[in-house]
Amino acid sequence: MRVGKIERNTKETRISLSWNLDGEGSYQGTCGVGFFDHMMHALCVHGGFDIDLAMKGDLEVDCHHSIEDLGIVLGMALKEALQDKGGIRRYGSFYIPMDEALGFCALDVSGRAFLVFDADFANPSVGTLDCCMVKEFFRALAFQAGITLHLKVLYGENDHHKIEAIFKAFAHALREAVTETDKGVLSSKGVL
């Protein structure tokens, strides 16, 4: 079983998280931001992941520290669960339609951190989630996990739908990339 367990405590957040890559699609706990919990649940269901989260953040300030730090911890847990990245497909990509919105994700579990994020939002927030934090979340996750991550909203009108489309696309692309194979590290160098 491939599991990453991380505890990270700062003056802004206290996070204890377990991420099972070979789960059943279960999200337990809360980050304290309702819409983002909805996205975490979608990530788990669509990726077939189990995430258990105990978290307290300084939400009296705003959601920034909580969302960014959760991305950091998820990235750390993903890296731990994948170890040397051997025996996985490595690459994944997926399109998700969400009503009028279309989201896309392509990623490479390469050990090289990079983020390309192409999405515009019409509103400053969805619920208590600041829309600008979606990019910050994925940047933190990609850089801690060491993945190359491209996310794009091709079109859409409703910010809820646009954000949900890229979360679900990320979930499916990551599921594809971490699918186990009977081969070693997928690299002509022999190491990632």
Side-chain angles (χ1 to χ4, degrees), residues 20-182:
N20 178 359
L21 299 181
D22 305 304
E24 298 178 5
S26 171
Y27 174 60
Q28 301 294 321
T30 180
C31 68
V33 179
F35 180 73
F36 209 78
D37 282 330
H38 178 46
M39 293 303 95
M40 293 297 297
H41 184 243
L43 171 65
C44 290
V45 168
H46 287 267
F49 307 127
D50 290 346
I51 293 176
D52 291 313
L53 172 67
M55 180 171 176
K56 175 98 172 95
D58 60 355
L59 294 173
E60 69 280 1
V61 174
D62 66 10
C63 69
H64 187 109
H65 301 139
S66 293
I67 300 305
E68 183 177 39
D69 287 7
L70 181 53
I72 290 169
V73 171
L74 280 165
M76 294 167 70
L78 179 58
K79 186 174 186 175
E80 180 179 290
L82 290 174
Q83 301 291 316
D84 69 354
K85 299 174 274 315
I88 61 170
R89 288 187 180 167
R90 179 178 164 184
Y91 296 98
S93 63
F94 216 84
Y95 285 93
I96 288 285
M98 185 74 191
D99 295 344
E100 87 298 343
L102 183 63
F104 173 72
C105 175
L107 61 84
D108 175 10
V109 181
S110 61
R112 293 185 308 276
F114 203 87
L115 174 68
V116 175
F117 187 89
D118 186 2
D120 294 317
F121 303 113
N123 299 290
S125 64
V126 175
T128 57
L129 174 69
D130 295 339
C131 289
C132 65
M133 290 311 302
V134 177
K135 180 177 182 179
E136 297 305 318
F137 167 80
F138 282 113
R139 182 193 331 269
L141 192 158
F143 275 73
Q144 289 299 318
I147 62 175
T148 298
L149 177 60
H150 292 245
L151 293 163
K152 182 176 181 66
V153 174
L154 286 85
Y155 47 79
E157 296 175 8
N158 183 294
D159 289 340
H160 181 131
H161 296 161
K162 290 189 280 188
I163 294 168
E164 190 163 347
I166 57 176
F167 263 88
K168 288 178 178 177
F170 172 70
H172 283 274
L174 184 60
R175 170 81 271 144
E176 184 178 337
V178 302
T179 296
E180 292 182 289
T181 68
D182 58 358

